[in-house]
Amino acid sequence: MNTRVVGSRVVREDAWGKVFGQTKFPADVNLPDQLYGVVVRSPHPHARVRSVVIEQAMGLPGVVTVLTAKDVPSNSHGVLFRDQPVLAEYIRMVGDPIAVVGAETLELARAAANLVVVDYEVLPAVFDPEEAMTPDVLPLHPALRPTNVLYHMPIRRGSMVEGWARADVVVEQEYSTQHVDHAFLQPEAVLAHVDERGHMVVQTATQYAHYDRGEIAQALGLRFSQVQVKTMAVGGAFGGREDISLQIMAALMAWTTLRPVKMENTREESFYSHSKRHPMKMHYKTGATKDGKLVAMEARIVGDAGAYASWSINVLRKSAVHATGPYEIPNVSVDSYAVFTNNPFSGAMRGFGAAQTVLAYESQMDLLAKALGISPLEIRQRNMFKVGSTTATGQVLTGSVPLDQCLEKISPYLQSGVDSELVQLKLNIGESTPTEAEQGTPTVNSRKLSHRMKRRGIGLGCAWYGTGYGNGFPDVSSAFVEIHDDGSATVLTGAVDVGQGSNSIYAQIVAEELGLQSEDICVYTGDTDATPDSGTTAATRQTYNTGNAVLKAVRQAKVRLLDYAAHKFSCPTAEGIELEAGFIGVKGDPSRRMPLEDMVFQARLQGERFISAESSTALSTPVDLETGQGAPYWPYAFGCQMAEVEVDTETGLVRVLRVVAVHDVGKALNPTQVEGQIAGGVTQGIGYALLEELELHEGKIKNPAFSSYLIPTALDVPNIEAFFVEDPECTGPFGAKGLGEPAMLPTISAVINAINNAVGVRITSLPATPEKILAALADKKEELG
Amino acid sequence: MDIKFVVNKKPYTLNVDPRERLIDVLRNRIGLMGTKEGCGEGECGACTVIIDGKTVNSCLLLAAQADGCDITTIEGVGNRRSPHPVQKAFVEVGAVQCGFCTPGMVLSAKNLLDKITHPSDQEIGIAMSGNLCRCTGYDKILRAVKRVAEEGDV
């Protein structure tokens, strides 16, 4: 299909406001006479609150209110279950909010928060999911589950007895991943006030304004029509803004005091007030025949849900469904569990359960390739999903399944430097030329002249990712479109742009359909008073799903416009009418055309308007609870990446030198934005593989700061080369699929496999820190004697 | 205490608390909201401003320490009619995603290019490494700075 605007490198409209510092994030807005809210959080991971004494805090001049659990009309919220208190009386994690202080200044509110006296009955806590699963550990949510096992998903396909009997080679290994923070740059902030209508207005940064509205309304006992959630610019999200953080507390204080309330997290508070990526333990056993065909796989996956359910069920379901990797395996048994503990609660984060398993399944593929004496590329090509393949849940993949094309595109990059290259650099002098003294025989100062051994290697990683909510959950997006009298247009949708650029994608779609430029389109989103609910900006669904809704809506308005024009031009059918470059007219007849604005204006004079509302629902069906069989997601996106690393065998430090990424996007609606998603994903993947780890001690975060929780800097990123495969997905807008989450998945395993290629050690627990690499190198040396 | 400084070419005389941070004075007293707070400990660089030709984390500086200084915030760099080449390159190359780090990134890049017209890749990397970004993976940010460095039309 030939397109003009879709597929072009349209510049994002919002970028200008951002480079001038004009864009308003929630911390950037204030109202006269506002109060400042500060939260009192629990230092204990498991406790009962015996009493909260607020008198001392209230006695401080300038302190207006201190709210506790008894002040919340309906004291709960949560995405799947309302199991999380707004203000807690029963503590399940360090950081649970107990009270919120409102004062005339931020300094006063902080001082008063320190004066709130909480008496705790400290209870025994559990931090290890395996231990928490045992029946003798008391359940953390007895109203929800009789034990701490929140969720178990089995997948049963084929016969394991037969599968193992056919396997010539079997590899078995345990893998583990760590707690990770989203580390979006903008800490949570909110401004709440009761407006002149008496409505509760909450300005915040969220992934889903309509969800926030529902939770605020429910907690305060209001109707949806009385609560407006207006999304300000969102400073990164990655899943961490799906659950409620400060919104209800601020709204409640504004509602009870009738004054505007501003709340803003410090970075440390931010670490305690949003979810984490699930740490997982994954035991894998995979078997293949001697000709490299996978025949059996068994996996047991245990995910630490932490203190609250959040999205854990969906996350561990996604882990199970994606556990095989993008490979056909006829005999599969998977058991995936989500388990409550007193750790920080786990929830959505880019990759959503499929990021953990990629470490396991892609390590297994390399282990099998080695055991079979074939290349990593070859074993993947022999087993990869193709059109018509059946997944472990029994889903037959039809339509766009271009992993073969992705691998074909990456294969030239796997040829060079396959054998680890030995790089010797002189210690102390970096890459500069050795001095005369250093070039001599190393006798005087052996330390100074010792050779630092750096080895290079490359690794391949593949991944797949089912987009959308999945499992039959209603996955609906909606949009309104209006064509204005001057021929420009507005699209309204609830879908929040969290920074990825969905707004400009919608502008491109509408412009394409109406024969306009994207500058002619106003896109307004994320305001519950004005835009229709379009679901959450998550699950890699906004380009695909809301893109579909926008496309349907603009086409509906366009159909009426074309009908009207056909009548005007005495053209027998609307199909004979075209919209091009701001004109509307009869195809092939330049005498019968006029500016679009004239046509729309004439129509208005005759009482005809071109306005539409449409919804689009993604396809998926729930899986069988006992066998996991079903078609839980659609569409799936595929990708592969090659990473080249350099491992310093003396320090254990890994540098990623180069990443080549090939991703299946269906159709790149905006290539610049696709590249942006890939580079961002690769970098988050590198952070996950090498750097990031939330350190916990009895549920307390030891590194709630960017000085100790390390995310990649500009110096940590390699040269990234991004390619895409455009194999149109027939259900997507202009053939597009989502890319946001898939972009980071292959990086993780490509880096880990490259380390193995470089120095011959296999890191099975993330992150691959220098300590782990040195320990593995020492073990290897011992083995070799 | 009374302090005087110049922000974006405009002189200010202010009475500040000796404990007040520069970022708070810029944001809350002068109303320049383009300077962002991401961490409060000088790690993320979202609060970068240029003081007397040096990039500074305004969350780590007391307002009193800026007494007598010349300060440039993002609001003092370019506008829609006449964007700074760095701003133009950021927009056109696609270096902007959520935009929270963007003001600090633009200021770090501008200051580098003010000092070195044609910086090397390594110089660009080092100059930008004090500004964290979680969305872009830095790739397009570095490409944008490089483009301006190559064009050298700052």
Side-chain angles (χ1 to χ4, degrees):
Chain A
M1 187 194 304
N2 278 333
T3 55
R4 290 172 308 111
V5 186
V6 157
S8 71
R9 293 180 181 269
V10 163
V11 162
R12 303 169 52 145
E13 187 184 47
D14 65 331
W16 288 110
K18 288 171 176 175
V19 294
F20 298 128
Q22 296 172 321
T23 303
K24 294 278 182 286
F25 295 86
D28 304 335
V29 287
N30 292 294
L31 279 169
D33 202 34
Q34 71 193 16
L35 290 174
Y36 294 83
V38 167
V39 184
V40 178
R41 294 181 183 276
S42 170
H44 302 293
H46 195 193
R48 213 171 263 121
V49 175
R50 283 205 197 99
S51 66
V52 185
V53 181
I54 64 167
E55 279 67 25
Q56 233 182 314
M58 283 298 289
L60 207 62
V63 174
V64 173
T65 184
V66 180
L67 301 172
T68 61
K70 64 175 175 20
D71 300 305
V72 193
S74 180
N75 193 4
S76 65
H77 65 87
V79 291
L80 282 176
F81 308 104
R82 289 204 170 104
D83 64 337
Q84 207 161 344
V86 178
L87 292 168
E89 288 178 302
Y90 187 91
I91 306 299
R92 293 183 182 86
M93 62 174 250
V94 175
D96 263 342
I98 294 162
V100 54
V101 177
E104 300 292 347
T105 69
L106 180 59
E107 295 67 34
L108 268 173
R110 290 208 181 281
N114 284 327
L115 297 176
V116 173
V117 182
V118 184
D119 183 24
Y120 299 94
E121 179 195 345
V122 176
L123 303 169
V126 60
F127 306 105
D128 174 18
E130 297 277 0
E131 185 191 336
M133 284 173 97
T134 55
D136 47 329
V137 175
L138 287 177
L140 284 166
H141 291 271
L144 213 55
R145 294 288 186 269
T147 71
N148 285 316
V149 178
L150 167 64
Y151 180 65
H152 169 218
M153 178 174 176
I155 295 179
R156 303 285 180 261
R157 172 170 156 80
S159 151
M160 295 319 295
V161 176
E162 198 179 298
W164 297 127
R166 283 177 58 199
D168 299 309
V169 182
V170 175
V171 293
E172 189 168 0
Q173 182 68 50
E174 174 114 357
Y175 301 91
S176 66
T177 63
Q178 74 279 38
H179 274 102
V180 165
D181 191 89
H182 307 76
F184 37 66
L185 262 269
Q186 176 233 326
E188 297 87 345
V190 56
L191 177 64
H193 75 286
V194 180
D195 75 357
E196 66 280 8
R197 302 170 298 176
H199 289 194
M200 184 71 247
V201 180
V202 179
Q203 299 181 79
T204 191
T206 172
Q207 290 175 242
Y208 189 6
H210 289 77
Y211 166 73
D212 288 15
R213 177 186 69 179
E215 294 306 280
I216 293 165
Q218 195 268 345
L220 270 59
L222 300 173
R223 304 283 293 165
F224 284 9
S225 54
Q226 295 170 289
V227 178
Q228 178 184 15
V229 173
K230 193 173 179 309
T231 312
M232 309 297 293
V234 183
F238 315 113
R241 298 191 204 269
E242 290 208 36
D243 310 274
I244 293 290
S245 58
L246 304 173
Q247 296 92 320
I248 299 174
M249 289 187 256
L252 178 66
M253 189 182 287
W255 191 253
T256 54
T257 62
L258 291 176
R259 288 182 61 180
V261 173
K262 176 90 177 268
M263 291 181 75
E264 211 177 321
N265 271 341
T266 62
R267 179 54 57 182
E268 180 169 356
E269 287 169 329
S270 176
F271 268 91
Y272 278 107
S273 73
H274 61 253
S275 69
K276 300 287 168 277
R277 188 192 290 288
H278 290 73
M280 290 188 193
K281 281 213 158 47
M282 301 168 284
H283 190 95
Y284 264 66
K285 189 177 166 192
T286 318
T289 60
K290 57 181 179 304
D291 55 353
K293 287 292 280 182
L294 298 173
V295 284
M297 190 199 89
E298 248 176 43
R300 181 176 187 270
I301 302 166
V302 178
D304 183 354
Y308 297 100
S310 183
W311 285 116
S312 282
I313 290 175
N314 305 50
V315 169
L316 272 296
R317 181 189 299 126
K318 200 152 226 173
S319 299
V321 170
H322 292 76
T324 57
Y327 309 111
E328 260 196 288
I329 311 178
N331 307 292
V332 176
S333 174
V334 178
D335 290 281
S336 173
Y337 300 89
V339 186
F340 285 125
T341 67
N342 294 106
N343 285 322
F345 77 101
S346 302
M349 185 171 175
R350 192 181 204 170
F352 204 81
Q356 292 87 339
T357 52
V358 76
L359 167 73
Y361 65 70
E362 285 298 86
S363 296
Q364 292 288 96
M365 289 304 270
D366 268 26
L367 286 171
L368 282 170
K370 194 178 173 200
L372 291 160
I374 58 176
S375 79
L377 176 65
E378 217 167 332
I379 190 163
R380 287 168 175 83
Q381 283 175 326
R382 285 185 198 177
N383 295 283
M384 68 188 167
F385 284 144
K386 300 185 208 58
V387 177
S389 294
T390 306
T391 71
T393 69
Q395 183 172 7
V396 179
L397 301 176
T398 55
S400 167
V401 193
L403 182 57
D404 53 344
Q405 292 178 49
C406 295
L407 279 169
E408 202 175 300
K409 212 159 194 165
I410 209 163
S411 68
Y413 297 93
L414 302 172
Q415 309 305 325
S416 58
V418 175
D419 300 319
S420 50
E421 183 187 334
L422 190 64
V423 183
Q424 296 191 352
L425 293 173
K426 297 251 182 181
L427 192 69
N428 297 339
I429 53 168
E431 284 162 26
S432 61
T433 323
T435 63
E436 233 168 78
E438 284 164 339
Q439 282 169 340
T441 326
T443 51
V444 187
N445 185 341
S446 63
R447 173 69 194 155
K448 193 179 173 194
L449 296 178
S450 75
H451 288 95
R452 176 182 284 184
M453 309 290 272
K454 292 189 179 183
R455 285 170 185 269
R456 288 187 181 182
I458 63 166
L460 172 64
C462 292
W464 67 315
Y465 193 79
T467 63
Y469 294 158
N471 205 48
F473 191 86
D475 193 349
V476 190
S477 286
S478 303
F480 299 158
V481 167
E482 177 177 11
I483 303 174
H484 303 300
D485 290 356
D486 70 345
S488 64
T490 292
V491 54
L492 304 177
T493 171
V496 175
D497 190 332
V498 296
Q500 85 281 31
S502 48
N503 283 2
S504 58
I505 296 294
Y506 307 146
Q508 285 179 269
I509 289 174
V510 174
E512 182 69 45
E513 283 296 310
L514 297 179
L516 301 171
Q517 298 300 317
S518 57
E519 304 87 81
D520 300 324
I521 313 302
C522 168
V523 179
Y524 186 72
T525 56
D527 180 342
T528 60
D529 269 11
T531 63
D533 187 344
S534 203
T536 175
T537 299
T540 305
R541 63 184 289 284
Q542 292 300 25
T543 290
Y544 175 79
N545 219 47
T546 300
N548 268 336
V550 168
L551 183 60
K552 276 176 81 176
V554 67
R555 282 186 177 161
Q556 193 200 84
K558 184 178 160 181
V559 161
R560 290 174 45 206
L561 170 65
L562 296 183
D563 280 344
Y564 180 83
H567 175 71
K568 276 274 150 197
F569 288 128
S570 308
C571 180
T573 154
E575 278 151 32
I577 304 295
E578 66 178 359
L579 282 158
E580 206 199 346
F583 283 83
I584 188 162
V586 178
K587 283 179 189 164
D589 183 356
S591 70
R592 284 193 290 169
R593 72 200 293 253
M594 65 167 77
L596 178 59
E597 58 180 295
D598 292 354
M599 180 66 75
V600 179
F601 188 65
Q602 274 187 26
R604 167 188 282 278
L605 295 180
Q606 293 182 343
E608 183 78 32
R609 301 290 328 277
F610 307 113
I611 296 169
S612 59
E614 267 292 1
S615 290
S616 178
T617 304
L619 298 169
S620 75
T621 57
V623 293
D624 182 90
L625 292 176
E626 267 150 39
T627 63
Q629 298 297 296
Y633 304 100
W634 192 257
Y636 290 92
F638 301 86
C640 60
Q641 294 180 14
M642 182 283 287
E644 183 178 6
V645 304
E646 183 177 87
V647 183
D648 186 325
T649 57
E650 219 167 77
T651 64
L653 207 66
V654 178
R655 269 180 64 209
V656 184
L657 305 174
R658 183 186 191 196
V659 170
V660 178
V662 185
H663 284 272
D664 148 41
V665 297
K667 160 88 179 172
L669 300 187
N670 186 325
T672 302
Q673 290 186 198
V674 170
E675 289 160 1
Q677 285 301 305
I678 291 176
V682 165
T683 304
Q684 283 192 6
I686 290 172
Y688 186 40
L690 297 177
L691 294 172
E692 299 178 32
E693 180 165 28
L694 201 74
E695 292 168 40
L696 292 173
H697 177 69
E698 302 199 329
K700 192 172 164 49
I701 303 171
K702 288 163 68 188
N703 54 345
F706 284 161
S707 53
S708 44
Y709 183 90
L710 302 183
I711 64 170
T713 73
L715 293 175
D716 297 311
V717 297
N719 185 22
I720 299 168
E721 291 149 82
F723 300 98
F724 15 104
V725 166
E726 294 187 306
D727 182 33
E729 162 54 40
C730 63
T731 62
F734 299 95
K737 298 179 185 180
L739 174 72
E741 294 172 272
M744 77 168 287
L745 305 180
T747 319
I748 302 157
S749 46
V751 167
I752 295 299
N753 287 340
I755 294 171
N756 180 264
N757 182 246
V759 292
V761 298
R762 180 146 295 280
I763 302 300
T764 54
S765 104
L766 297 186
T769 58
E771 293 79 6
K772 285 182 196 168
I773 288 170
L774 288 180
L777 284 168
D779 286 350
K780 188 184 151 202
K781 210 168 166 188
E782 214 163 86
E783 270 170 40
L784 296 173
Chain B
M1 61 186 293
D2 290 330
I3 59 164
K4 280 184 184 181
F5 51 45
V6 174
V7 183
N8 303 333
K9 302 199 173 113
K10 192 171 160 189
Y12 289 86
T13 305
L14 295 164
N15 184 265
V16 299
D17 187 305
R19 294 164 304 177
E20 224 170 327
R21 302 179 306 168
L22 178 61
I23 185 174
D24 297 323
V25 169
L26 291 173
R27 285 176 58 86
N28 302 335
R29 301 256 220 132
I30 305 181
L32 296 172
M33 293 296 188
T35 305
K36 309 296 180 194
E37 179 163 358
C39 72
E41 56 163 356
E43 286 291 331
C44 78
C47 66
T48 300
V49 296
I50 300 173
I51 300 183
D52 295 338
K54 286 199 179 110
T55 51
V56 174
N57 289 313
S58 62
C59 75
L60 290 185
L61 208 69
L62 296 171
Q65 290 174 286
D67 188 20
C69 291
D70 184 62
I71 303 169
T72 303
T73 71
I74 191 66
E75 289 86 350
V77 182
N79 59 47
R80 279 174 195 270
R81 303 238 186 290
S82 137
H84 187 276
V86 168
Q87 289 168 321
K88 194 162 172 281
F90 265 55
V91 171
E92 289 174 1
V93 170
V96 179
Q97 288 191 25
C98 88
F100 196 79
C101 74
T102 309
M105 289 282 183
V106 168
L107 288 166
S108 288
K110 176 197 178 303
N111 203 51
L112 166 72
L113 295 161
D114 283 347
K115 294 199 153 41
I116 311 170
T117 319
H118 299 287
S120 66
D121 286 2
Q122 205 189 354
E123 283 168 328
I124 294 173
I126 289 168
M128 304 306 289
S129 67
N131 295 79
L132 294 179
C133 170
R134 190 60 155 169
C135 300
T136 66
Y138 307 101
D139 181 59
K140 289 199 183 284
I141 291 174
L142 298 174
R143 284 176 203 256
V145 180
K146 217 169 141 178
R147 191 181 98 173
V148 184
E150 279 162 8
E151 288 170 359
D153 60 352
V154 180

